[in-house]
């Protein structure tokens, strides 16, 4: 079952990146190599031996070119097993049906024996210039994740009940953002001193109004038909998480299409001092916890930022650091037809640290809960998101609260979507903390307000 995925990994790892990029155009135009690739695809689909393909490559007069052609052929044949996003309703060839079932259950094509992984490709390259920037961009249907990247990331499967399938995506993926909190009275601002350093923590205050609002928010998400919902950073506590889960499990709740919900992030322990800022991903129908993502990088305020945010009365006027225990790894969530990563606020801006992992795993949807000033075009969320979109092909969804809009007495959006096929950021503003704004991500890579 895994012979051809393993052969792909072997040939791919042996293919020199510089040689591949230098010769890809000539190799692609070579009719003899094209015929070789087509014959390899036929071998894969016909259930022939992977060993015979390896032997043909090794005996070829131009082994590198033949290896590339074999990769193209294997990649072409393996399109049949990418059933979650394929527009075709035909069953895979008999020789690939067991592998297709394995991919549906495990989210990968290889067994893991080669190190790293071979994944179904869910997104194409973000940039559309003619020249590839890496050999990974030469193959349309599978993605080779290098071992070092694989070892730095946790993988979570959402489960069959929460997975997104072809019929969920064919008309566009509906996402919803909700601010949850607008009144600064529902937020706690704390400062702690340790030696010469000052630390801050911002968190939801477990205000009664916040708790009462959650069933209304969930009802609005359900009424809108949202499949994935995203709430902002710093809108979650243990008590609020419990309120979300109770609302999702309520016998009074009607029918729902909500598969996945990020009810925000926050400190979910009783620890004093430094603590993790954790985003939770819930099954949108049952409230079960699917995954946790700890914030990876702290955001520290200097004097200028404190003044710009008008937080001196709450945090003082001297520089201070976020009271954060940083997360150790990125979690990638396999949702069938979507591969999701959650970047909490400052993490979105850490392109040199996080970007290579988003790229190497072919993340299709990057969800970013933030606590920030009102979202506007060309601010940091937009400029950072643009780079992810352009370089990796992922769609970026940013969800902010209305708290800073209230503090600054400034209008601005609380939701933003950037998509590979849409030139400018889509911005939307909720009328109140329980009001959902929705976006539709279409199969052609574009996005639109919903």
């Amino acid at each position: 079952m895994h012979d051809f995925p393993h052969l792909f990994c072997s040939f791919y790892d042996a293919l020199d990146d510089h040689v591949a990029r230098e010769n890809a155009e000539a190799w692609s135009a070579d009719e003899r190599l094209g015929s070789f690739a087509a014959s390899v695809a036929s071998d894969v689909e016909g259930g022939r031996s992977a060993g015979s393909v390896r032997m043909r490559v090794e005996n070829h007069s131009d082994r590198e070119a033949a290896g590339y052609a074999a990769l193209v052929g294997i990649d072409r044949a393996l399109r049949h097993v990418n059933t979650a996003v394929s527009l075709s309703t035909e069953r895979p060839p008999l020789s690939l049906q067991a592998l297709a079932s394995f991919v549906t259950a495990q989210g990968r094509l290889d067994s893991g024996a080669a190190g790293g992984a071979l994944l179904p490709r869910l997104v194409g390259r973000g940039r559309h210039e003619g020249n590839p920037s890496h050999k990974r961009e030469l193959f349309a249907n599978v993605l080779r994740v290098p071992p070092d990247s694989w070892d730095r990331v946790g993988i979570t499967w959402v489960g069959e009940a929460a997975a997104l399938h072809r019929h969920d995506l064919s008309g566009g993926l509906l996402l919803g953002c909700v601010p949850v909190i607008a009144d600064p009275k529902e937020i706690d601002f704390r400062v702690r001193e340790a030696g010469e350093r000052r630390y801050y923590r911002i968190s939801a205050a477990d205000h009664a109004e916040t708790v009462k609002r959650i069933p209304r928010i969930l009802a609005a998400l359900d009424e809108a038909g949202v499949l994935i919902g995203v709430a902002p950073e710093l809108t979650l506590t243990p008590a609020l998480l419990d309120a979300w889960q109770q609302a999702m499990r309520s016998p009074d709740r009607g029918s729902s299409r909500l598969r996945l919900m990020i009810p925000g992030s926050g400190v979910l322990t009783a620890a004093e001092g430094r603590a993790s800022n954790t985003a939770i991903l819930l099954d949108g129908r049952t409230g079960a916890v699917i995954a946790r993502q700890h914030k990876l990088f702290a955001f520290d305020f200097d004097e200028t930022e404190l003044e710009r945010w008008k937080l001196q009365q709450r945090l003082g006027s001297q520089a201070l650091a976020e009271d954060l225990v940083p997360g150790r790894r990125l979690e990638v969530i396999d949702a069938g037809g979507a591969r999701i990563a959650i970047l909490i606020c400052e993490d979105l801006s850490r392109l040199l640290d996080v970007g290579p992992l988003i790229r190497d795993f072919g993340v299709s949807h990057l969800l970013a809960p933030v606590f920030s000033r009102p979202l506007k075009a060309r601010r940091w969320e937009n400029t950072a998101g643009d780079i992810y979109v352009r370089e990796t092909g992922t769609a970026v969804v940013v969800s902010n609260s209305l708290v800073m809009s209230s503090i600054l007495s400034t209008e601005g959006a609380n939701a933003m979507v950037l998509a590979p096929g849409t030139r400018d950021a889509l911005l939307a503003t909720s009328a109140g903390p329980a009001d959902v704004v929705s976006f539709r991500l279409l199969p052609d890579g574009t996005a639109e307000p919903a």
Side-chain angles (χ1 to χ4, degrees):
M1 175 171 59
H2 300 294
D3 288 350
F4 277 107
H6 289 167
L7 188 62
F8 185 96
C9 292
S10 176
F11 285 160
Y12 181 92
D13 293 348
L15 180 65
D16 183 88
D17 178 53
H18 295 286
V19 172
R21 289 191 288 132
E22 182 179 351
N23 292 283
E25 182 179 356
W27 286 344
S28 298
D30 189 315
E31 293 183 0
R32 291 172 300 176
L33 290 177
S35 297
F36 191 102
S39 69
V40 170
S42 296
D43 286 347
V44 179
E45 294 168 1
R48 297 182 180 87
S49 166
S52 65
V53 173
R54 179 184 291 277
M55 187 174 297
R56 289 172 62 193
V57 171
E58 292 176 349
N59 291 335
H60 198 279
S61 58
D62 188 344
R63 190 176 296 180
E64 279 188 314
Y68 166 78
L71 285 165
V72 171
I74 297 170
D75 175 71
R76 189 178 301 165
L78 292 179
R79 74 188 187 279
H80 295 293
V81 304
N82 198 356
T83 56
V85 295
S86 172
L87 296 179
S88 173
T89 57
E90 296 181 6
R91 287 177 60 83
L94 183 62
S95 63
L96 293 173
Q97 287 179 12
L99 181 60
S101 297
F102 180 86
V103 171
T104 299
Q106 302 293 327
R108 61 189 298 169
L109 293 94
D110 66 309
S111 69
L118 189 67
L119 304 181
R121 182 182 284 276
L122 301 186
V123 295
R125 62 183 296 196
R127 293 175 295 139
H128 297 286
E129 302 93 328
N131 293 316
S133 60
H134 192 273
K135 62 182 178 179
R136 76 175 68 84
E137 298 171 2
L138 301 174
F139 309 103
N141 301 292
V142 298
L143 179 69
R144 173 67 168 138
V145 182
D148 58 340
S149 293
W150 185 260
D151 293 341
R152 292 174 57 197
V153 169
I155 304 293
T156 299
W157 163 240
V158 300
E160 184 61 30
L164 299 168
H165 300 291
R166 183 191 302 113
H167 64 275
D168 297 310
L169 304 172
S170 60
L173 177 60
L174 191 64
L175 300 109
C177 296
V178 60
V180 181
I181 297 175
D183 191 339
K185 292 180 181 178
E186 297 177 39
I187 294 288
D188 277 339
F189 295 83
R190 303 180 190 177
V191 175
R192 177 176 69 88
E193 296 186 2
E196 296 182 355
R197 299 204 67 182
R198 301 174 71 246
Y199 296 90
Y200 77 91
R201 180 188 293 181
I202 303 173
S203 58
D206 285 337
H207 198 283
E209 289 300 317
T210 314
V211 176
K212 288 169 55 179
R213 191 175 298 127
I214 287 172
R216 300 199 338 255
I217 294 172
L218 188 59
L221 289 163
D222 288 342
E223 183 179 356
V226 166
L227 283 170
I228 299 178
V230 188
E233 182 189 22
L234 307 180
T235 58
L236 199 62
T237 66
L240 294 174
L241 174 59
D242 183 64
W244 275 100
Q245 292 177 308
Q246 286 191 38
M248 288 173 170
R249 296 166 182 162
S250 170
D252 297 328
R253 187 183 181 194
S255 62
S256 175
R257 297 188 68 215
L258 187 65
R259 301 293 180 81
L260 301 170
M261 181 70 207
I262 299 175
S265 83
V267 176
L268 301 181
T269 67
E272 294 295 326
R274 299 175 71 211
S276 297
N277 179 353
T278 304
I280 299 291
L281 181 68
L282 299 178
D283 182 313
R285 291 167 170 167
T286 69
V289 175
I290 294 173
R292 292 174 171 85
Q293 176 64 63
H294 303 299
K295 188 175 183 180
L296 301 172
F297 297 96
F299 175 70
D300 299 335
F301 279 106
D302 61 20
E303 291 85 350
T304 301
E305 286 294 306
L306 286 167
E307 183 178 359
R308 182 179 293 124
W309 289 49
K310 295 185 178 179
L311 291 178
Q312 300 98 320
Q313 288 186 343
R314 292 174 170 88
L315 297 178
S317 58
Q318 299 176 15
L320 69 178
E322 185 173 1
D323 221 353
L324 179 75
V325 174
R328 295 188 176 186
R329 62 193 297 157
L330 179 72
E331 299 295 325
V332 170
I333 297 104
D334 179 354
R339 193 170 297 135
I340 297 167
I342 302 168
L343 296 185
I344 303 172
C345 206
E346 176 69 9
D347 298 346
L348 183 68
S349 71
R350 298 300 183 113
L351 292 148
L352 294 179
D353 300 291
V354 181
L357 297 176
I358 301 298
R359 177 200 63 202
D360 286 354
F361 277 80
V363 168
S364 60
H365 297 82
L366 201 166
L367 310 180
V370 304
F371 181 88
S372 189
R373 293 181 296 156
L375 305 179
K376 294 185 178 181
R378 313 323 311 168
R379 277 193 175 162
W380 73 268
E381 299 94 344
N382 191 167
T383 55
D386 274 342
I387 297 174
Y388 286 105
V389 171
R390 185 174 67 249
E391 297 295 330
T392 72
T394 188
V396 178
V397 181
V398 181
S399 181
N400 192 16
S401 70
L402 295 171
V403 174
M404 287 308 306
S405 182
S406 298
I407 290 173
L408 296 169
S409 300
T410 303
E411 293 185 357
N414 62 280
M416 174 186 292
V417 165
L418 302 110
T422 301
R423 175 184 289 272
D424 298 320
L426 300 180
L427 293 158
T429 305
S430 297
D435 293 311
V436 175
V437 290
S438 302
F439 304 88
R440 193 178 304 278
L441 299 179
L442 298 169
D444 63 0
T446 59
E448 63 183 22

